[in-house]
Structures are given as C-alpha cells and as structure tokens.
Amino acid sequence: MDLAEIWRVMRRRWYVLLPGLLLTAALIAGVYLLVPVEYRSQSTVTLLNSKKATVAFDGNPFLSTQASLTGMADGLARNLNSDDSRADLKSQGVTGEYEAKIADNAQGPFMWLSVTGTDPAAVLKSDQVFTAYAEKRLQEFQAQQSVMPEAMIRMATIVPPQKPQAQTKTRLQYLIMAGALGFVLSLVATFFVEARRRRSGKPGRHRPASSEAGPSEAGPSEAGPSEAGPSGPVPDAADSGAGASRTARASAGSP
C-alpha cells in the first residue's frame, strides 16, 4: 500500500479518522494541563584547603589544592543524598527534588547543588537552604572525626543559587507521546473499518444455477428450428452442376 492509497482510505473513512483526531487533541490538552512545568535552581560550590594547609601559600586557599579534596567532595555528596539528610532538609522547609553531585568535567573539588520543583519561588528558597546546609554538614562531618578547626576543609560558593529555569523537556516528551499514540490509534481504527467494509462488500462464492449452466449443457429440446441442422450431408455445388450437364446431353442424344 502506497501513500496515495493511504490518503484515499483516509479521505473515504474521514468519519472515523476525524473523531480520533479530535480525541487526540483532547488528550494532548489534558496532558498539557495535568503535567506541570518544572523549574530548576542550581548553585556551584568548591572545597578549599584548611587554614593550616595554606600557611605556606600566604593563606591563599586557591593556591593549595590536594587530590583528597575531590574525594571529600564525593563523600559529602553521598552524605547529602542520604535518607537522613533528606529528612533533615525536609524539616527545614526544602521542597521538591534535590541533588548533590560532583560537577561534570570538573578539574577540582567542585560540586553542583540543585533543586527541582513546580513553584519557582519555593525552588529558589530551597536551593539557598540546601547550599547553606551543605556547608554546615561539611563542618559536622569533620567535627565527628575530631578534626581541629584550623585543619578543617572549608567550602566556598562559586555560583550562588540561580533564578529557577523552566525544564520543558519532560513535559514536551509527554505531549509528543500523547499525540503520537492518539494519531496511531486513529489510523488503526480507520483502516480496521476499511478492511471490514471491503470484506463485507465481496460477492458470495455460490452463484445462481441459471448463471452456472453453459450453452453446452442445453438439451436437444431447447434448440430452436433454426438451430437444427439437415439430417443428411449437403451436396456440393460443383457436383450438382456436373450432374445437370450430363442430364442435358443425354436428353439431346435420345430420338
């Protein structure tokens, strides 16, 4: 079946396709209204060496970097994503989904702290609380190991919590899925009706007896007088002429 045939079927069964397309439009509108737009705010922080470790660098923590800081950033991210931290953050008013991880393609102990939700104002506030909580959790984590304050790893905010940005990818995916599903089901219903109509429109297998009888099956009584041939052979015209001339000569020679 080519595109021209598909188009002809769609035009012929428009009364099936049109309601399906209308239902598809209603489904898309329902998804648009039911699936809210999500907003995301993100901050970027980095871990700095302790004051004691930066004495040799005149107290500049950005000149003193160690590989252990990246490992500490990974451990802090895992701690922030734990169930205990989630419960603690929820009690402090953090709403939506949040995530702490090492920044992509980071060449140092950089972390991304992000919050996602449907209310932009609540998302921004939650990200601010989350960023402050991360620094507090870093200090508590080291205090539990009896680390002296001068030797504690510090945290600095590189990018503060940003204005929440709309995340339309998930919503767009749902809209595309709803539209594709409705259109495919409409086409299936259209071609199903077309197939049923074609099967019901075919002639039956058994024809009437009068149409099945051929001329060869007709009896001798059905043949008319004009169809009946002569009982004997038909004399040839040349033989008839020759016989007539012999009769004439015989009559002329007799006394």
Side-chain angles (χ1 to χ4, degrees), residues 14-35:
W14 64 269
Y15 54 88
V16 179
L17 182 62
L18 182 58
L21 295 179
L22 293 177
L23 290 176
T24 301
L27 179 62
I28 294 176
V31 172
Y32 183 84
L33 295 176
L34 294 177
V35 179

Side-chain angles (χ1 to χ4, degrees), residues 29-219:
V31 172
Y32 183 84
L33 295 176
L34 294 177
V35 179
V37 178
E38 291 187 342
Y39 295 87
R40 184 180 184 185
S41 176
Q42 181 175 281
S43 63
T44 303
V45 298
T46 184
L47 300 187
L48 302 177
N49 221 329
S50 64
K51 294 180 179 180
K52 187 176 182 179
T54 58
V55 173
F57 300 93
D58 297 330
N60 190 343
F62 294 99
L63 297 177
S64 174
T65 57
Q66 295 180 0
S68 59
L69 294 178
T70 304
M72 185 63 189
D74 180 65
L76 179 60
R78 295 174 185 273
N79 185 273
L80 293 175
N81 293 326
S82 64
D83 293 338
D84 293 339
S85 296
R86 290 184 182 275
D88 197 7
L89 286 170
K90 186 176 181 180
S91 64
Q92 297 184 27
V94 174
T95 59
E97 296 293 331
Y98 75 87
E99 182 184 19
K101 68 174 185 178
I102 297 179
D104 295 341
N105 302 321
Q107 298 182 358
F110 297 97
M111 296 175 58
W112 281 344
L113 306 176
S114 59
V115 177
T116 304
T118 57
D119 186 0
V123 168
L124 180 58
K125 182 179 179 181
S126 297
D127 197 18
Q128 294 171 349
V129 174
F130 186 31
T131 303
Y133 178 81
E135 184 175 5
K136 176 184 176 183
R137 196 72 188 96
L138 175 63
Q139 295 176 356
E140 294 176 352
F141 193 73
Q142 297 177 91
Q144 293 174 359
Q145 305 301 322
S146 301
V147 178
M148 299 297 295
E150 295 79 7
M152 284 187 177
I153 297 173
R154 295 168 290 172
M155 177 181 290
T157 301
I158 302 299
V159 179
Q162 298 296 292
K163 179 180 179 181
Q165 300 294 325
Q167 307 295 312
T168 59
K169 181 179 179 181
T170 302
R171 192 185 195 187
L172 183 60
Q173 289 177 346
Y174 280 113
L175 291 175
I176 293 175
M177 291 173 57
L181 179 61
F183 183 71
V184 170
L185 292 179
S186 300
L187 287 181
V188 170
T190 300
F191 283 92
F192 177 77
V193 173
E194 176 69 14
R196 291 291 300 270
R197 292 299 177 88
R198 287 187 179 185
R199 284 198 297 267
S200 62
K202 288 183 178 181
R205 295 183 178 180
H206 301 284
R207 295 180 297 174
S210 59
S211 62
E212 293 180 354
S216 60
E217 298 179 4

